[in-house]
Amino acid sequence: MEPSPETGGMHLPREPMIPVAHPIIPEGTDWGYQLKWDGVRLLARIAADGGVELFSRKLQVKNSTYPELAAQLSVVKGPCLLDGEAFVFDNAKQRPVFRKVLTRERMRNPSVIMQAGDHEPVRFAIFDLLGNQGKDWRDQPYRQRHQELLRLFPDKQERLFVTDLFSNGQALWNWVEERGWEGIVAKRLSSPYREGKKHQDWLKRKTVLTETVSIVGYTMNEDRLASLIMVADGLYFGRVSLGLNGELKAKLRSLPSYSSGPKDRGPFSSLPPDLKGLTILWLNRAFTCTVTGLEVTDAGLLRHSKLLSLPEL
């Protein structure tokens, strides 16, 4: 994508620099550590006249999805090109929750139960600087890029701030585990900005997610219960089958339910694509349970989900 003339030559990367999954937290003086914000990746390109363009990881324009972020960034002195994460902070959980920021995609999401209403406030954590005042910063060490960000944004606002850079990775990991945050990213302080994943300079380690979900129905394989249909915050959250045994399946089958017809969407405004073509029984009354998973996908589904606990049925 070609930069517009007013951006001062701040061309977009072909894709942002992506953290690579790694099971071990690297140590040493050349490493810094940051919180993983559990949100949506955004590039913000700010023109000299205050015009703001927000781009997704796939370089789709997102100004209409996050208009308040564009408005906040319009006061930044451009031209500059920022990299960061848009997220929604859940006050009850005291941490960012990925699926909450996904509600901004309601208009294209067929798996919504609730009608689109007032949006929850979105915040922007800035963690990298690609260009500023006509200078390309991508070849500079991350340590210097982060220091320049702190100079540009000296005051941390509630909804717009530079994410902190810590020197003790294990201490940050312990904090994240205790509070149920998504994980941490270790960054090599001497490294340039490298597009994509072909590097070992940004390494992420993620915690196991634990979520409370509503079960609204279950799928059938012939005459056997196959999986439970999950909903979280009014959105389809995927299916879970791991952790179900014969006794649990028998109890679940005894709950009042009704068969899904060809046009039956259950509690959803439109049947999620993941459920199309399946035999479904919808519960007359949903119940809540606890599940674990590795991560929430870009589609808002819990990956590798496993049933942790069920209420007394």
Side-chain angles (χ1 to χ4, degrees):
M1 180 179 297
E2 292 297 324
S4 52
E6 65 273 16
T7 60
M10 297 295 101
H11 63 281
L12 297 174
R14 286 167 295 183
E15 65 173 323
M17 188 170 180
I18 307 298
V20 179
H22 200 271
I24 299 173
I25 301 170
E27 297 181 350
T29 57
D30 196 29
W31 289 96
Y33 311 91
Q34 294 178 328
L35 290 169
K36 201 169 185 308
W37 286 99
D38 203 11
V40 173
R41 191 72 174 272
L42 286 182
L43 293 166
R45 188 162 63 183
I46 305 166
D49 63 0
V52 176
E53 297 169 288
L54 300 177
F55 299 92
S56 70
R57 175 174 164 176
K58 295 183 178 180
L59 305 186
Q60 297 173 328
V61 178
K62 288 293 182 177
N63 287 52
S64 61
T65 307
Y66 307 103
E68 74 276 42
L69 293 185
Q72 278 190 296
L73 288 165
S74 66
V75 302
V76 177
K77 185 179 179 181
C80 66
L81 182 56
L82 307 171
D83 195 350
E85 194 91 354
F87 67 95
V88 171
F89 192 83
D90 188 312
N91 290 317
K93 297 179 183 292
Q94 283 296 294
R95 60 177 172 85
V97 175
F98 179 61
R99 63 177 178 270
K100 285 184 172 290
V101 78
L102 283 185
T103 59
R104 290 300 181 100
E105 308 293 333
R106 285 179 188 273
M107 297 306 294
R108 66 172 179 80
N109 193 328
S111 313
V112 178
I113 294 176
M114 299 182 298
Q115 295 297 316
D118 292 336
H119 296 309
E120 295 193 62
V122 171
R123 311 181 190 196
F124 191 47
I126 306 166
F127 50 69
D128 217 329
L129 176 69
L130 281 68
N132 184 41
Q133 301 302 310
K135 176 183 176 180
D136 198 320
W137 280 78
R138 277 166 263 222
D139 288 335
Q140 299 299 312
Y142 183 71
R143 181 187 288 106
Q144 293 183 22
R145 302 200 307 273
H146 190 263
Q147 288 173 350
E148 181 67 7
L149 279 176
L150 293 176
R151 188 188 69 80
L152 294 172
F153 298 91
D155 300 319
K156 182 174 287 189
Q157 304 174 35
E158 182 182 9
R159 298 187 189 177
L160 181 65
F161 58 90
V162 177
T163 190
D164 293 318
L165 186 63
F166 299 93
S167 59
N168 190 325
Q170 188 59 53
L172 185 61
W173 175 256
N174 293 343
W175 188 94
V176 162
E177 278 203 310
E178 289 170 4
R179 291 160 177 79
W181 281 52
E182 186 194 13
I184 69 172
V185 180
K187 295 185 176 179
R188 197 186 303 273
L189 300 178
S190 61
S191 66
Y193 189 94
R194 306 180 193 275
E195 298 179 6
K197 294 183 177 181
K198 293 183 178 180
H199 61 80
Q200 288 292 305
D201 296 325
W202 287 11
L203 305 177
K204 65 181 179 181
R205 187 179 181 191
K206 300 176 71 172
T207 59
V208 175
L209 296 177
T210 301
E211 299 283 353
T212 299
V213 300
S214 295
I215 303 300
V216 297
Y218 45 85
T219 65
M220 300 292 294
N221 184 1
E222 296 180 347
D223 291 328
R224 299 186 301 276
L225 189 151
S227 63
L228 307 182
I229 300 171
M230 300 183 292
V231 165
D233 293 321
L235 297 174
Y236 176 60
F237 203 43
R239 292 176 283 151
V240 58
S241 57
L242 290 176
L244 287 172
N245 56 35
E247 182 181 356
L248 282 176
K249 289 180 179 180
K251 287 183 178 180
L252 290 166
R253 286 298 308 274
S254 68
L255 298 176
S257 62
Y258 60 96
S259 298
S260 175
K263 298 183 179 180
D264 196 341
R265 302 185 299 268
F268 302 107
S269 60
S270 181
L271 191 67
D274 190 40
L275 299 179
K276 290 181 178 179
L278 300 180
T279 301
I280 298 172
L281 291 178
W282 300 111
L283 292 171
N284 289 358
R285 174 180 290 184
F287 64 87
T288 60
C289 68
T290 305
V291 295
T292 62
L294 291 185
E295 65 176 356
V296 179
T297 69
D298 289 346
L301 308 183
L302 186 63
R303 189 167 70 88
H304 291 299
S305 56
K306 181 179 180 180
L307 187 66
L308 194 61
S309 67
L310 276 173
E312 290 295 327
L313 299 175

